[in-house]
Amino acid sequence: MKVLVADKFEESGLAGLKALGCEVLYEPTLEGAALAARLAEAGAEALIVRSTKVGAAEMEDASGLALIVRAGAGVNTIDLKAASVRAIAVSNCPGKNAIAVAELAWGLILALDRRLVEQVVDLRNGKWNKSEYGKARGLAGRTLGVIGLGAIGLEVVTRAKAFGMPIVAWSRSLDEDRAARLGVARADSIHALAAASDGVTVHCALTAETKGMLDAKFFAAMRPGAFFVNTSRGEVVDQLALEASIAEKGLRAGLDVFAKEPAGGTGAFEDGIVNLPGVIGTHHVGASTEQAQNAIAAETVRIVAAFASTGEVPNAVNLASRTPATHVLSVRHRDRVGVLAHVFGVLRAAGINVEKTENVVFAGAEAACAHIQVGRAPQAEVLEEIGRGCADVLSISVRPL
């Protein structure tokens, strides 16, 4: 299996892919037209990327491409619709960077509370100001609002308890029972969470629903002087509304993601929000620890191994949760050459589309059962033709889905 790695990737991951017997093409600077040309030329079956964008143009002539692995959590850099149209599975590595991102979030929270960045700047400028910087409020007993309770949010909650902070959380999937099990208070809305918190940290995925979700109404609900930390995606925040609240309410912000970020690993940074008083930032490095990258590399290798050996794709994000199938046709048959070809031939002649199929072979490989999801119920004559036309068909049944 030929695998093109078009981003920087851990040596442990490259070694793992080679140990699987893959032919690994490691070309971490490919992007855009160069990536499209290389995919077409190399005929790679799998593509591994981190931040590199993969759009319809990159997939257009990649006739052999069957799998794209995003070596990270989000998949917003990959055109899922274009991949789905071409029957290219897209997979990711959810949760593998959770500890790293949670650790950075806590670094930002602590830095905001104790004004660590400002203190370092003053010391480097030869200024001693103990009387000013000795006014920190501290974290114990203050309420932390956590937006999003995926793997990262849960790691943040665990650490909040160690700091003695009560936690209020909001997630679309959070109900009262789960909140009780986690030891957090459940907010009915992000606005209720903002009003109840001394500080908010954001850990939600970027989707059509979350884009711009943290808007002027949200920041208006936050307490004056509260802190706000975002290590998820810059697009979930209405940055103009955040900037206004920093000026009007004295909010302090710790940001790892921004509305204006350079496309590559280096470049000019032109987002003026970091010049506002009370704002500190990092370089979108939430997931960038050795622990996280090794965990992501291991998960990437696991995905490729499963695909190579079984055709199944762990963590696939663009498979249909429900197909247009209306019925399932179950065919018990002898495990012989041509049986399924016969069944599919009859269905084709009848104009019945197969949406999904699974063939389960029993011990001894003498018999099997095919479960075939179809677009409409086969008529009685179709079932008769399946049974009559092949002596290796043992029985047939149909049931609605």
Side-chain angles (χ1 to χ4, degrees):
M1 182 174 178
K2 189 177 290 186
V3 180
L4 175 61
V5 182
D7 248 316
K8 290 184 179 179
F9 196 54
E10 296 300 302
E11 184 59 41
S12 61
L14 296 174
L17 292 170
K18 292 174 183 175
L20 295 176
C22 296
E23 179 184 348
V24 180
L25 307 175
Y26 184 49
E27 302 179 31
T29 61
L30 288 175
E31 60 180 340
L35 174 58
R38 188 65 173 124
L39 281 169
E41 173 195 18
E45 296 170 70
L47 171 67
I48 296 172
V49 293
R50 290 178 61 187
S51 57
T52 298
K53 293 183 178 180
V54 186
E58 286 73 28
M59 303 178 212
E60 183 67 30
D61 297 319
S63 58
L65 187 62
L67 171 67
I68 300 173
V69 181
R70 162 73 167 93
V75 291
N76 56 301
T77 55
I78 299 172
D79 189 331
L80 298 182
K81 182 177 180 180
S84 299
V85 168
R86 293 165 174 79
I88 300 171
V90 178
S91 182
N92 64 347
C93 305
K96 300 303 176 181
N97 62 2
I99 291 174
V101 178
E103 288 174 348
L104 180 62
W106 275 101
L108 291 170
I109 291 170
L110 290 165
L112 289 170
D113 181 60
R114 303 304 292 264
R115 290 190 285 175
L116 299 181
V117 175
E118 295 94 325
Q119 291 199 54
V120 170
V121 170
D122 276 357
L123 288 175
R124 288 179 175 174
N125 290 329
K127 183 178 180 181
W128 182 263
N129 199 350
K130 180 177 179 179
S131 59
E132 172 63 23
Y133 292 123
K135 299 175 182 178
R137 293 177 62 183
L139 297 176
R142 296 172 70 190
T143 299
L144 178 67
V146 180
I147 295 178
L149 280 181
I152 298 171
L154 292 177
E155 294 290 350
V156 169
V157 166
T158 297
R159 288 153 179 76
K161 292 177 181 178
F163 279 99
M165 298 187 75
I167 305 154
V168 58
W170 178 88
S171 172
R172 284 186 172 85
S173 61
L174 182 64
D175 57 27
E176 292 292 352
D177 288 342
R178 185 178 180 227
R181 291 195 303 272
L182 294 175
V184 304
R186 175 184 172 275
D188 290 331
S189 67
I190 57 174
H191 308 103
L193 178 142
S197 303
D198 294 299
V200 174
T201 180
V202 184
H203 305 287
C204 58
L206 176 62
T207 66
E209 292 75 24
T210 61
K211 186 175 183 179
M213 176 177 71
L214 306 179
D215 55 11
K217 182 179 179 182
F218 170 81
F219 289 111
M222 288 190 69
R223 298 174 179 178
F227 63 80
F228 175 80
V229 170
N230 185 15
T231 56
S232 59
R233 287 290 186 270
E235 294 91 335
V236 303
V237 176
D238 179 340
Q239 190 161 299
L240 291 178
L242 172 58
E243 292 175 2
S245 292
I246 290 169
E248 297 166 7
K249 303 179 67 171
L251 294 186
R252 295 177 58 77
L255 308 173
D256 185 47
V257 290
F258 302 89
K260 301 175 184 177
E261 291 185 18
T266 60
F269 183 74
E270 300 175 348
D271 197 323
I273 193 170
V274 293
N275 297 318
L276 298 179
V279 176
I280 61 174
T282 49
H283 300 236
H284 201 151
V285 292
S288 299
T289 66
E290 289 184 9
Q291 174 270 327
Q293 294 309 311
N294 283 323
I296 288 171
E299 179 69 354
T300 300
V301 172
R302 185 184 77 87
I303 293 167
V304 173
F307 178 71
S309 61
T310 69
E312 296 181 0
V313 181
N315 309 333
V317 299
N318 65 330
L319 300 184
S321 57
R322 183 174 178 83
T323 71
T326 62
H327 292 74
V328 60
L329 171 66
S330 295
V331 181
R332 292 172 56 245
H333 61 93
R334 294 186 180 90
D335 190 24
R336 302 289 187 271
V337 174
V339 178
L340 293 182
H342 162 69
V343 174
F344 292 144
V346 174
L347 292 174
R348 177 184 178 183
I352 298 174
N353 194 41
V354 174
E355 301 292 347
K356 184 177 180 180
T357 185
E358 178 186 33
N359 190 51
V360 179
V361 179
F362 288 84
E366 289 295 324
C369 184
H371 302 287
I372 305 168
Q373 294 185 15
V374 291
R376 60 181 175 86
Q379 297 174 320
E381 55 267 29
V382 173
L383 300 180
E384 290 175 7
E385 177 61 24
I386 291 174
R388 184 174 62 246
C390 181
D392 289 317
V393 172
L394 302 175
S395 69
I396 308 167
S397 63
V398 178
R399 62 178 176 82
L401 290 172

